[in-house]
């Protein structure tokens, strides 16, 4: 483990040589983990419960924090205008992400995560969709809290000097390895459902 191992893994992956434990390392990568989590939710392999919703909202996809989560819950509870609506705040947050039921003005984080989940599900609904299509739909449509594309923000950050630039560079490397792993999986198992790749990781 360490810098040399990362450099060797990156060099091997660039020439298409699989590295043992590459997929397991990907699953634990903090930059890649939200992509895999959202992909699992999109295919139905991960339940959209409070823990999952909070992890997605507090990832770079949502950009929320614990204070904004409390604010969402309070605002959503206050927005219930039907007395028969007995949903708890947690369920309102889950429905906001899952169905886009967001009747509050101050909920950009909820909108971003819902939109990304919708893009992922749309990619899956196409005939012969692959895990690459699913991952690309998430990567290509993810935006930061400033409204910039996440991919562009990471590229810009990677060009800066210092530790933040190095961290962004590692995050981009991890995404490249993820897509290359997905491409190799598709070659090995043509027509396989994306769930098989996500289960392998």
């Amino acid at each position: 483990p360490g810098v040399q191992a990362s450099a060797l893994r990156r060099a091997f992956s660039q020439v298409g040589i699989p590295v043992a434990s590459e997929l397991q390392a990907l699953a634990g990568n903090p930059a890649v983990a939200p992509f895999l989590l959202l992909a699992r939710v999109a295919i139905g392999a991960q339940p959209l419960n409070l823990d999952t919703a909070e992890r997605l909202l507090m990832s770079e996809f949502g950009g929320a924090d614990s204070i904004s989560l409390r604010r969402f819950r309070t605002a959503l509870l206050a927005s219930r205008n039907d007395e028969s609506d007995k949903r708890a705040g947690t369920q309102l947050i889950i429905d906001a992400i899952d169905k886009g039921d967001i009747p509050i003005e101050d909920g950009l984080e909820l909108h971003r995560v819902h939109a990304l989940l919708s893009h992922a599900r749309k990619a899956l609904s196409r005939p012969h969709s692959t895990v690459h299509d699913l991952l690309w739909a998430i990567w290509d449509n993810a935006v930061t809290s400033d409204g910039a594309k996440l991919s562009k923000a990471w590229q810009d950050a990677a060009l800066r000097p210092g530790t933040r630039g190095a961290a962004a560079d590692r995050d981009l490397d991890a995404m490249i390895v993820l897509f290359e792993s997905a491409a190799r999986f598709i070659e090995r198992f043509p027509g396989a459902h994306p769930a098989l790749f996500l289960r392998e990781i």
Side-chain angles (χ1 to χ4, degrees), residues 18 45 58 108 113 168 181 200:
M58 295 176 83
L108 289 176
V113 175
S181 301
E200 185 176 331

Side-chain angles (χ1 to χ4, degrees), residues 67-69 71-73 75-76 102-111:
I67 294 170
S68 51
L69 288 176
R71 191 178 71 241
F72 298 150
R73 185 177 278 106
L76 287 167
I102 311 170
I104 57 174
E105 290 182 14
D106 187 20
L108 289 176
E109 296 90 339
L110 292 165
H111 282 286

Side-chain angles (χ1 to χ4, degrees), residues 9 13 19-37 40 135 170-182 184 197 200-201:
R9 185 180 295 114
S13 69
V19 179
S21 78
E22 181 182 85
L23 293 180
Q24 288 79 2
L26 273 178
N29 184 295
V32 171
F35 287 87
L36 298 176
L37 179 62
R40 288 198 307 272
L135 294 173
R170 284 193 301 273
D171 292 346
L172 285 172
D173 283 345
M175 289 307 300
I176 290 168
V177 172
L178 177 65
F179 278 103
E180 287 176 347
S181 301
R184 287 196 299 269
F197 176 75
E200 185 176 331
I201 288 186

Side-chain angles (χ1 to χ4, degrees), residues 42-189:
I43 66 172
Q46 174 85 21
L48 187 55
N49 52 27
L50 177 61
D51 177 61
T52 305
E54 286 185 348
R55 283 163 59 195
L56 289 172
L57 286 168
M58 295 176 83
S59 71
E60 291 200 57
F61 298 150
D65 55 26
S66 55
I67 294 170
S68 51
L69 288 176
R70 282 197 294 273
R71 191 178 71 241
F72 298 150
R73 185 177 278 106
T74 303
L76 287 167
L77 285 168
S79 70
R80 294 184 305 184
N81 51 14
D82 185 355
E83 290 183 8
S84 64
D85 189 353
K86 303 293 184 189
R87 290 176 295 169
T90 297
Q91 189 59 48
L92 290 168
I93 288 176
I94 291 169
D95 288 346
I97 292 173
D98 189 33
K99 302 170 185 170
D101 184 9
I102 311 170
I104 57 174
E105 290 182 14
D106 187 20
L108 289 176
E109 296 90 339
L110 292 165
H111 282 286
R112 279 197 298 273
V113 175
H114 167 69
L116 208 49
L117 182 58
S118 297
H119 284 297
R121 287 172 171 165
K122 187 176 178 183
L124 281 172
S125 68
R126 296 188 192 107
H128 313 297
S129 63
T130 65
V131 68
H132 188 279
D133 300 324
L134 171 61
L135 294 173
W136 183 257
I138 299 171
W139 172 246
D140 193 46
N141 290 289
V143 294
T144 65
S145 56
D146 300 330
K149 279 207 165 197
L150 186 62
S151 56
K152 181 75 168 70
W154 283 11
Q155 288 170 23
D156 291 345
L159 296 174
R160 296 190 194 115
T163 54
R164 292 192 70 181
D169 192 45
R170 284 193 301 273
D171 292 346
L172 285 172
D173 283 345
M175 289 307 300
I176 290 168
V177 172
L178 177 65
F179 278 103
E180 287 176 347
S181 301
R184 287 196 299 269
F185 178 84
I186 292 165
E187 286 175 8
R188 285 186 357 245
F189 307 106

